[in-house]
Amino acid sequence: MELTRIPLGNTVFEGENNAYLVEGEVTTLVDVGAATENVRADLETGLDDAGVAVADVDRILLTHWHSDHCGLAGELQAESGATVYAHEDDAAVIAGDDDAVAALHDLRERRFREWGIPEDKLDELLAVQSSFEAVAGDPADIETLTEGDRVVAGDQELETIHLPGHAAGHVAFAFERDEGESEASSGAESAPRSEVFVGDVILPQYTPNVGGADLRMEEPLAQYVESLDRLAARDFDYAWPGHRDPIDDPAGRAAVIRQHHLDRTRRVIETLREHGPADAWTVSAHLFGELENIHILHGPGEAYAHLDHLERAGAVECEDFEYRLVDPEPDVEGLFPNTKY
């Protein structure tokens, strides 16, 4: 597989996005970045350096619906005629379906009130979200994928792995190639390597947000931890993330992020023990301090994901959107059983 990582100088969300060019019979892009002039210029520069024009792109694979991954998909599809693929749970949002978009907006308004976000912070968040919607780009016509589907990129098939948590329709794309083709190769003897495009399931620097990143999800934390376990169980040699540098120990990184969430659950319990009952905003303030910009969404969203998980396990009770600790010493490890795949 001839694979090129194209860094995109994006400053929204986590920043430093990647698009991936896979050349061959079916010229393919995996993620495309936000719909801004600078990101478009970065993408075109990367394509030009590889001797590829936008018109040459046959296929676009999207890991999830967030604008910094799919924003340019619609205009690239219009220029190239490329087929755009995404998981069925994210397809309607990426396609700009009126009902799906309206439902998401209604859900946001309800959640923000339930979480207890103060009015001044809510005004700031709504302004931030308006700017993010401006880089969402044109809607794309979507061919849907689901778990286990195989799709050709370049000259070989990629396996679709559904890994929800950060987003309901988040997918990874797995493949094998000779070690000599890998960015991590030392140039020594070739051997088959298992690799994967992971989007935002795992990132090399940050822990992907859960709870605020996709409000449509039921049991977001439980689903995300299960996705981490599934990814780790595959024991891939190499991962290509949606942001920043490649990851040469995907299972190890997944384990670190999993432990991070266990530790955060313990901090949520400590917060409720000392300051409860409390709503999601109050808990997030104790966890993260002063929140600004997109973190006004991600902070209480993360707190909510952990509080929701504790409530479903019977460790806390919720009344009028305030959470009260029921079990002062819950078995945190037992709240996150490691399912063997």
Side-chain angles (χ1 to χ4, degrees), residues 218-221 303-313 316 323:
E218 295 290 330
E219 301 185 60
L221 184 57
Y304 166 75
H306 286 263
L307 291 164
D308 171 73
H309 191 73
L310 288 165
E311 181 186 12
R312 292 175 186 275
V316 305
Y323 296 84

Side-chain angles (χ1 to χ4, degrees), residues 157-179:
E157 286 187 332
L158 309 186
E159 174 194 357
T160 303
I161 310 172
H162 185 206
L163 298 172
H166 181 67
H170 202 303
V171 292
F173 298 103
F175 57 96
E176 286 192 352
R177 61 180 182 149
D178 290 340
E179 186 174 359

Side-chain angles (χ1 to χ4, degrees), residues 17 21 30 41 54 56 64 103 111 142 149 161 165 168 188 191 238 242 254-255 270 327-328:
N17 278 84
L21 171 66
V30 180
V54 169
D56 298 328
H64 60 298
R111 282 277 190 261
I142 303 297
D149 283 350
I161 310 172
Y238 208 62
E270 291 171 3
D327 181 355

Side-chain angles (χ1 to χ4, degrees), residues 1 8 65-66 73 79 95 125 128 151 167 173 177 184 193 200 210 228 286 337:
M1 173 188 287
L8 306 175
W65 66 274
H66 293 158
E79 292 180 40
L125 175 58
V128 169
V151 59
F173 298 103
R177 61 180 182 149
R193 292 172 54 90
D200 287 357
V210 180
L228 290 175
H286 287 288

